[in-house]
Amino acid sequence: MRAADFVNDPDLAAPLGMFSRSVIERCHQAESQFASEVPQWLDQWHDNAVFLDARLSPTPEEAAAMSAEVDAVIDRYRREPAGWLLPPDHAAHRHKK
């Protein structure tokens, strides 16, 4: 989905805004849960995962390049979670139809 396809259409701009806010809210909820679980992490994770809060001011071209780079990094590491990261009932829920 490209925002440019929606922002100039009055019938689509409001739904795009609602969708964007819902994505941001879901991300916030996931990050809040993640932060609350840090104390339960295994010791091996404490010094190997970092939190970063940096303000960037990229140009549109730099933002596009950065997005492509981040997507490539995520694709390199995307895989099913290791068993020790999953809740005990994960497999049962995942395979239910």
Side-chain angles (χ1 to χ4, degrees), residues 2-4 15 19 30 32 34 48 52 57 65 67-68 76 90-91 93 96:
R2 292 172 7 120
F19 172 76
S32 293
F34 176 80
N48 293 316
L52 179 62
S57 299
S67 293
R76 279 200 317 268
H90 174 75
H93 289 288
K96 280 186 177 178

Side-chain angles (χ1 to χ4, degrees), residues 21-86:
R21 284 187 291 283
S22 72
V23 169
I24 291 167
E25 178 62 27
R26 283 195 316 269
C27 289
H28 173 72
Q29 290 171 351
E31 291 172 358
S32 293
Q33 180 179 347
F34 176 80
S36 70
E37 293 172 355
V38 168
Q40 289 85 39
W41 287 5
L42 299 174
D43 288 342
Q44 65 191 6
W45 283 101
H46 289 169
D47 291 330
N48 293 316
V50 297
F51 293 92
L52 179 62
D53 182 17
R55 182 172 282 254
L56 305 175
S57 299
T59 65
E61 295 79 16
E62 291 169 331
M66 184 174 22
S67 293
E69 290 174 35
V70 169
D71 285 346
V73 169
I74 290 170
D75 286 343
R76 279 200 317 268
Y77 291 96
R78 182 174 283 137
R79 59 184 167 264
E80 284 293 317
W84 56 271
L85 289 174
L86 299 175

